Amino acid sequence: MVARSMCPGGRLPALSALAPLALMTGLMTPAPVTAANSTIGRTWPIAEPDALSEIEGRAAHVPDMKTAFGPRERWSAMQPAALGIARAERNRTVVPFYTLDQDIRLPGGKILYAKGYSFNPLAYVALPQRLIVVHPRDLAWALRTARPADFILLAAGGLSQAGDTDADAITLGERHGRALFLLEERVKARLGLTVAPVIVAQTGQKLMLTEVAMPPSPQRAAR
């Protein structure tokens, strides 16, 4: 039994009344915690070079492409397929049949599809985006017309592009903040393209080609 000293009037001293509060404060206040690092077993320094430093070091030795190969618009890989200029509004359809150039065999050697077999890929897959094919001079129209998922392909031909620096698809893409692509010869042949601008969209199991005649501009008239 613990004896308590009473103040006159039967009240505990003020110090005794504050003791529980002090105890709670001590419990709720985190005490400083110290930890020591320990090493278990043998250690070795990292032998592999830093990946970022290695990339930066190799990139510093890559030759300047423009100095080595000339202006980018003159590179053969940057030359798109040529198309004529659309003179009238016209809609036509194309079925992009594909013909196998070799036998397709099962693992056991049995022929699944023989060479020469033709089929329509659109019977099995869908083309969710449209292809908008233009000459660089009509790029502004293509940017206004294209939906976010559409592909814009640049074609050569039409008017002379000898002094047209905008023929560089990479520069144009960076300028407008949108990916631009070059029209390849195999795509031109596969889709049956002849003129631009043209919008290519899937309709059922066919491709609808919408050829667009652009209104004449003062710049074109001057050329």
Side-chain angles (χ1 to χ4, degrees):
M1 185 174 184
V2 179
R4 299 181 180 179
S5 60
M6 305 294 291
C7 292
R11 292 176 298 177
L12 291 172
L15 185 59
S16 299
L18 294 176
L21 179 61
L23 178 61
M24 293 298 296
T25 303
L27 292 175
M28 297 176 63
T29 302
V33 178
T34 59
N37 295 327
S38 300
T39 301
I40 300 177
R42 298 180 62 187
T43 62
W44 290 268
I46 298 175
E48 294 82 3
D50 178 72
L52 181 59
S53 299
E54 189 173 7
I55 293 173
E56 292 175 344
R58 294 194 178 188
H61 295 85
V62 174
D64 180 67
M65 300 294 284
K66 187 173 182 179
T67 302
F69 302 104
R72 193 159 52 193
E73 61 269 16
R74 297 181 185 174
W75 298 355
S76 59
M78 297 294 292
Q79 303 305 313
L83 292 177
I85 300 174
R87 302 297 184 184
E89 305 284 335
R90 184 173 67 146
N91 292 328
R92 59 191 181 91
T93 59
V94 171
V95 179
F97 285 110
Y98 182 79
T99 302
L100 296 179
D101 58 0
Q102 60 182 349
D103 294 335
I104 303 298
R105 298 178 180 271
L106 295 174
K110 182 179 178 181
I111 294 179
L112 180 63
Y113 295 103
K115 177 181 178 180
Y117 174 76
S118 295
F119 66 99
N120 178 11
L122 297 182
Y124 307 95
V125 298
L127 184 66
Q129 67 276 348
R130 302 180 302 171
L131 306 179
I132 300 182
V133 186
V134 294
H135 298 113
R137 64 177 192 176
D138 296 319
L139 179 58
W141 171 84
L143 292 170
R144 294 192 305 268
T145 304
R147 302 166 186 164
D150 291 343
F151 290 167
I152 299 178
L153 285 70
L154 299 181
L159 298 178
S160 174
Q161 294 178 317
D164 189 358
T165 58
D166 286 351
D168 181 356
I170 297 177
T171 300
L172 283 172
E174 293 172 347
R175 182 182 306 167
H176 296 285
R178 176 159 186 156
L180 302 176
F181 304 90
L182 298 176
L183 175 65
E184 299 181 19
E185 288 289 350
R186 61 186 182 89
V187 174
K188 170 186 172 180
R190 184 73 180 278
L191 301 182
L193 303 179
T194 58
V195 296
V198 58
I199 301 175
V200 182
Q202 181 177 353
T203 303
Q205 295 186 12
K206 298 180 180 180
L207 293 176
M208 175 68 72
L209 277 59
T210 302
E211 299 172 359
V212 182
M214 302 298 291
S217 65
Q219 181 180 8
R220 295 180 191 176
R223 293 189 180 186

